[in-house]
Every structure is written in structure tokens, then in C-alpha cells.
Amino acid sequence: QSVLTQPSSVSGAPGQRVTIPCTGSSSNIGAGFAVNWYQQVPGTAPKLLIYGNINRPSGVPDRFSGSESGTSASLAITGLQAEDEADYYCQSYDSTLSGSVFGGGTKLTVL
Amino acid sequence: QVQLQESGPGLVKPSETLSLTCTVSGASISNHYWTWIRHSPGTGLEWIGYIYYRGSTNYNPSLKSRVTISVDTSKNQLSLWLSSLTAADTAVYYCATWDYGRYWYSDLWGRGTLVTVSS
């Protein structure tokens, strides 16, 4: 059971917009700790996609955006492309654990 | 550029202790926080623990009794030990940087090393 909750799967057609929610609690997202998002293509290391709730590292397309409100966060992907098919994980810091916590991951399928 | 490379045995027996090394190249291990994370198909990503180059550590409570992380600044390496292994510890193990105290993200990862626990 992951500390952060994500849907196990989402899907969308090419060109469409999808969102992936991430729900936490008062000891992590709700406490103001930043939410980060990673993209993981099977067989490769996770890649940082969004950090600090809304920031994109250099090289990440602006089709990817993040938001945060209360005890939840969300990753939005617009203009879906076949190459976006991957697993997506949210991550934050938890004050109870004094460490990093991840969501269970969401598999994005591009139809 | 900065690169991280994990190394260790691919196969270990149940009840044994796993030892992994992460070699950092292109940057000094000093003045940074480092973390170990593992990934298994059924569990997803799981934070194992972190270490500061001066030696301070903290571990995932679910693994705390079995895990030790250390750093060797002379070799620019960090190490992970995980004892009393079971099949549930079968995973790809990654070392990564950690943005401690601000955004808490890991932006640089090793390629990972697959560890299978089996007799």
C-alpha cells in the first residue's frame, strides 16, 4: 500500500489530454512538501518530469504540466503522443517517515 | 557529465545479505545527498533510504532493521547492504541524487541493477 495514491491506469487517444491524480495526506502533500513526477519506460530508470509541483527540468516538453492543491497533486499531459506511453509516479517527502514516498504508479496507454 | 553506476551480484540466496555499490563519476560525492530506491513490478518504486556525504542517514521504516547505507568519499562511492533477504526483495535497485530540504526530487539516476533473490 503506497503512501501516495494514484490510479493504476489511464488511457487516451493521440492528441488528447489526460490527467493523473496523486492523493496524499497532511504529513506529505498537505504539509506543503513539493510533489515531483517521474516517467518510467519499462527497462529504464525513472526520468524526472516535474519538480516542485509545477517546474519542468530542461528538455521536458511543455505538454507536461503539474499542479497541486491541498493534499492532492495532478500531472497533465496534452497532445498525447505514442512515445508518452509509460509508467508515471508521483513522489513527495513525508514528515512522519522522514523520507521520500512514492505513489503506486500509473500506466499510461496511448490508444 | 555526472554518471551513477550501480554494481553488485545479480543473484543472491534467501536469508543472505545483499551488498551493492554505486560509483559516482563526473562529480564529487561530497556536499550532496544520495538515495537508494528500488523498483519491482508488483510494488512500484520504493524509497530505501538516504545518506549525506558526512555520513548521516535515514531509512524507510519498513526496511530499517535490515538496511545500512554508507559512503566512501575517497572512492566517490556509496554502498547499500540489505540483510535477511527474501523473494520480496527481488527488484531493480537504483542509486540517485536527492534534493534534500527543498524539492526532495531525484534528478540523476543510475541505470539500475537487477537483484534476484532465489535459491
Side-chain angles (χ1 to χ4, degrees):
Chain A
Q1 196 83 349
S2 300
V3 175
L4 305 180
T5 301
Q6 302 177 232
S8 59
S9 64
V10 297
S11 63
Q16 284 190 332
R17 177 180 186 269
V18 295
T19 60
I20 300 174
C22 171
T23 303
S25 68
S26 58
S27 62
N28 40 70
I29 301 174
F33 294 110
V35 177
N36 309 301
W37 291 90
Y38 301 86
Q39 177 192 62
Q40 186 176 30
V41 175
T44 68
K47 170 190 172 184
L48 181 65
L49 211 56
I50 298 288
Y51 69 94
N53 299 327
I54 60 171
N55 304 292
R56 283 186 307 276
S58 174
V60 173
D62 59 6
R63 301 187 297 105
F64 296 90
S65 63
S67 63
E68 173 268 341
S69 178
T71 59
S72 296
S74 185
L75 173 70
I77 310 172
T78 59
L80 265 184
Q81 300 179 3
E83 66 199 47
D84 298 333
E85 196 161 279
D87 295 321
Y88 293 82
Y89 293 88
C90 59
Q91 174 255 326
S92 186
Y93 179 85
D94 189 279
S95 58
T96 301
L97 300 177
S98 295
S100 188
V101 288
F102 286 94
T106 299
K107 181 176 179 58
L108 169 63
T109 301
V110 181
L111 302 171
Chain B
Q1 73 274 23
V2 182
Q3 290 188 322
L4 287 67
Q5 179 65 59
E6 304 88 348
S7 59
L11 178 65
V12 287
K13 290 181 168 52
S15 79
E16 291 188 342
T17 296
L18 170 67
S19 175
L20 297 177
T21 297
C22 173
T23 301
V24 180
S25 59
S28 171
I29 205 166
S30 299
N31 298 317
H32 293 286
Y33 285 81
W34 305 91
T35 186
W36 285 95
I37 295 162
R38 67 183 184 181
H39 177 263
S40 57
T43 308
L45 294 172
E46 182 180 24
W47 175 73
I48 298 172
Y50 77 80
I51 188 165
Y52 186 46
Y53 81 103
R54 290 184 174 176
S56 57
T57 57
N58 196 33
Y59 305 122
N60 187 323
S62 68
L63 300 170
K64 192 170 186 175
S65 63
R66 302 193 290 130
V67 68
T68 301
I69 298 175
S70 68
V71 65
D72 186 334
T73 54
S74 67
K75 295 182 179 179
N76 229 35
Q77 292 178 336
L78 55 152
S79 297
L80 168 72
W81 285 272
L82 185 64
S83 64
S84 304
L85 294 172
T86 70
D89 295 311
T90 294
V92 177
Y93 287 74
Y94 297 97
C95 59
T97 57
W98 200 32
D99 182 56
Y100 182 93
R102 192 179 185 201
Y103 295 129
W104 312 96
Y105 62 77
S106 293
D107 62 339
L108 290 174
W109 297 64
R111 297 179 68 177
T113 186
L114 173 63
V115 174
T116 302
V117 180
S118 175
S119 55

